[in-house]
Amino acid sequence: MPDLSASWLARLSASRQQPLQGDTVRSRGAGRAAVAAPTRTDPAEAVPWSVRAVAAWSWRVLVIVAAGATLVYAVVTFKTVVVSFLAALLIATLLEPFSAWLRRRLHFPQALASLTAILAAVMFIGGLLTLAGRSIYHGFGQLADRAVQGFGELTAWLAEGPLAIPQDQIDQWMGQLTDQVQANSDVLVSGVANVTGSVTTVITGALIALFCLFFFLKEGRQIWQWFVRLAPRTARESINESGIRAWVTLGGYTRTQILVAFVDAVGIALGAAILGVPLALPIGVLVFLGAFIPIVGALLSGTVAVLVALVDQGLVTALIMLAIVLAVQQIEGNLLQPWLQSNALAVHPIAILLAVTAGTGIAGILGALFAVPVAAVINTVVLYLHGHDKYPQLATDLNRPGGPPGAVTSAIEEDYAHTGDEASTAVPV
């Protein structure tokens, strides 16, 4: 009979020498935990995600600001060329329908139709300025006489009125005023030199604008297609469509602004004529030109009308003239302009004010003149590229500017077929 007690003792001794299964699992888990313990060697891992996101946005914003500053510097440096180019675009949006009518109805060649449209515009503007210039020449002579008479009455009132200022004291003040004018004569001379330089710049800019205007009317579509041709094939359709909508926006804004300026000029000039204020026609021309500069132009032109009434006819007439100016501008600003420009502009008044301020800081009055149409065009293009079309009817209009929808690729290939390098010069995709 086997010794059971001995065999039981042997098994018990062997089991005590082997580790338990749970102990084995725990020891293996501890080993894996020791192996998996992280060792941070990259300092970027210690930066929170939010800080990294802000840093990524920051350098991108800095790049955008630097690009914008470079663009502004280029615009300021080449201000004459940029202003001339923009002026030619604005005028082209007005003259293009007339030029197209000459080609379509009277069968004028493109060059002759473009030249005829430009000459008609120059004759109209020149006649208007000549008419206003004659009135200004004769009217300001009368106004100067009236101002001298008023100044004499003022000095007499100072000497004989309630103040009873001695005449020698008045003569002494007049002498000091004369001395100040003579002492600052160099400033006047430098001002004349600056005006001469400005006249040279204006003549140069006008010649550039006329040159660009002629070719915009004659070959505007070919010029635009050349620009679209530089883009990748997949982007040409979007660029062409956004450009067409920018052109429609620019033309709508220009025609609307002319109508609004005409209403302002007629209303204020008619009020000045009824009151018997001199220079009614020049005031109307000034109001017409000033209305193209939103907010600032209306204020300045209205102020000139009130000051002329004050100098010529006194305080009561000036107050009535002020009421007329405010009434006309309120009707134009609150009724006419929002109704006409609801589709042509669609830019918030705050954006308009900021655009006018920025344009004035960059290029003076000319910058204020072009700030609003540029902002309107940018707004239209950005909205279209983000899926919001302000002019959905253009998608099916076969007679729209720029050609029928979807025909830009075939038009480019047809216009440049004689070169044979459309595929080689296009930007690859």
Side-chain angles (χ1 to χ4, degrees), residues 85 89 211-230 412 415-416:
F85 179 82
L89 278 180
F211 183 82
C212 294
L213 177 60
F214 174 77
F215 283 101
F216 285 163
L217 295 175
K218 180 177 179 292
E219 303 174 352
R221 184 174 297 186
Q222 288 78 8
I223 294 173
W224 172 248
Q225 289 174 355
W226 172 85
F227 176 78
V228 175
R229 182 175 177 245
L230 299 177
I412 291 175
D415 288 340
Y416 292 94

Side-chain angles (χ1 to χ4, degrees), residues 223-244:
I223 294 173
W224 172 248
Q225 289 174 355
W226 172 85
F227 176 78
V228 175
R229 182 175 177 245
L230 299 177
R233 292 181 182 270
T234 54
R236 289 178 181 177
E237 194 66 33
S238 298
I239 294 176
N240 181 66
E241 294 297 323
S242 61
I244 290 174

Side-chain angles (χ1 to χ4, degrees), residues 18 84 155 178 317 325 362 369 372 401 418:
Q18 295 178 357
S84 303
T155 55
T178 305
T317 305
V325 170
I362 294 174
L369 175 64
V372 176
H418 63 280

Side-chain angles (χ1 to χ4, degrees), residues 102-156:
L102 292 176
R103 295 193 304 267
R104 184 175 59 256
R105 296 294 184 181
L106 303 182
H107 305 287
F108 277 27
Q110 287 187 343
L112 182 59
S114 304
L115 186 60
T116 303
I118 294 174
L119 290 178
V122 170
M123 291 176 61
F124 174 77
I125 297 175
L128 185 63
L129 293 179
T130 301
L131 182 63
R134 286 189 174 184
S135 179
I136 290 173
Y137 176 76
H138 296 292
F140 268 117
Q142 299 174 3
L143 192 62
D145 295 339
R146 180 67 179 85
V148 171
Q149 180 183 356
F151 186 76
E153 294 176 356
L154 175 63
T155 55

Side-chain angles (χ1 to χ4, degrees), residues 185-199:
S185 59
D186 55 341
V187 178
L188 299 177
V189 173
S190 63
V192 173
N194 292 333
V195 170
T196 306
S198 300
V199 169

Side-chain angles (χ1 to χ4, degrees), residues 295-360:
I295 302 172
V296 180
L299 177 62
L300 292 179
S301 58
T303 302
V304 170
V306 174
L307 288 178
V308 171
L310 177 63
V311 172
D312 183 75
Q313 297 191 13
L315 181 61
V316 176
T317 305
L319 292 177
I320 298 175
M321 190 72 237
L322 176 62
I324 294 175
V325 170
L326 293 178
V328 171
Q329 292 182 355
Q330 286 299 317
I331 293 174
E332 170 259 314
N334 295 326
L335 297 178
L336 184 61
Q337 195 165 21
W339 176 58
L340 292 175
Q341 290 189 346
S342 59
N343 292 326
L345 196 58
V347 179
H348 196 275
I350 293 180
I352 293 178
L353 178 61
L354 294 178
V356 171
T357 305
T360 305

